[in-house]
Amino acid sequence: CSSIPLDLILKTAGVDSVGGTVTGTKQSLKMLKTLRITKLLRLFRINRLFQYLKKVMLLIEETLNIRISDGFTKLMRLGVGALILAHWIGCFNFLLVRLHDFPSDSWVVYAGLVDKSPYVQWSWSFFKALAQMIMIGFETPP
C-alpha cells in the first residue's frame, strides 16, 4: 500500500493535510476505507468461473449423453453476467449513499433501510439495481 500516493489522492478529494501528512478527520478515514475497494480487482477473475462452468457442462454432456446447445450456454452466461453486474451496481449505489452518511433524501432513507440487517440492505440494493437495469427504477422510491 506504500506505492499508492495517499496524500495526493486525498488532496484531490478535498481533504486537508497538515505538513504533508493526512489529518485524522472523519472524511480521511472514509477515504482510507474506500482504498480497500482495490481488492475488488480480484473479481475480474470471473472468467475462471465461466471456464469452470464450461467444463461442468461438458462433463454433464458426457456422463448423461445429452446435448446442451451453444445458444443455451450463451444465454446462461449472459444471465449470470447480468446478475453479477446487478450485484456490483447495487453494492456501489449503497456504498455511495453510505459514504455520504445516508442523506435524508436518499432511497435508503425513504425505504427505511438504515438500521436493517445487511441481507435486507443487499436485497433492496440488488432489486434497485435490477430495476435500473431494465429502466423502471428511476421513479420515486416506495
Side-chain angles (χ1 to χ4, degrees), residues 2-120:
S2 63
S3 63
I4 297 173
L6 182 61
D7 289 342
L8 182 62
I9 292 170
L10 293 176
K11 185 177 179 182
T12 58
V15 178
D16 295 331
S17 63
V18 177
T21 61
V22 178
T23 60
T25 63
K26 185 177 179 182
Q27 187 177 6
S28 63
L29 290 175
K30 284 184 183 180
M31 289 296 292
L32 288 172
K33 286 181 182 179
T34 58
L35 285 177
R36 293 187 308 185
I37 291 177
T38 57
K39 292 181 182 180
L40 292 176
L41 294 176
R42 289 184 278 172
L43 292 175
F44 288 117
R45 298 181 200 165
I46 199 72
N47 194 30
R48 289 184 190 171
L49 172 69
F50 287 127
Q51 290 175 357
Y52 177 74
L53 288 175
K54 188 175 183 178
K55 289 178 183 178
V56 168
M57 297 292 263
L58 286 173
L59 182 67
I60 289 172
E61 284 181 354
E62 290 174 0
T63 57
L64 299 177
N65 291 328
I66 59 172
R67 172 81 173 110
I68 300 173
S69 69
D70 291 335
F72 178 75
T73 57
K74 288 179 183 178
L75 185 64
M76 291 303 294
R77 284 185 68 162
L78 179 67
V80 169
L83 291 176
I84 290 170
L85 182 65
H87 170 77
W88 288 348
I89 291 171
C91 289
F92 184 70
N93 283 342
F94 190 82
L95 174 73
L96 288 177
V97 175
R98 187 174 182 179
L99 285 177
H100 290 284
D101 291 326
F102 301 110
S104 61
D105 61 342
S106 67
W107 63 272
V108 176
V109 174
Y110 283 144
L113 299 173
V114 177
D115 296 324
K116 299 289 183 178
S117 70
Y119 176 74
V120 173

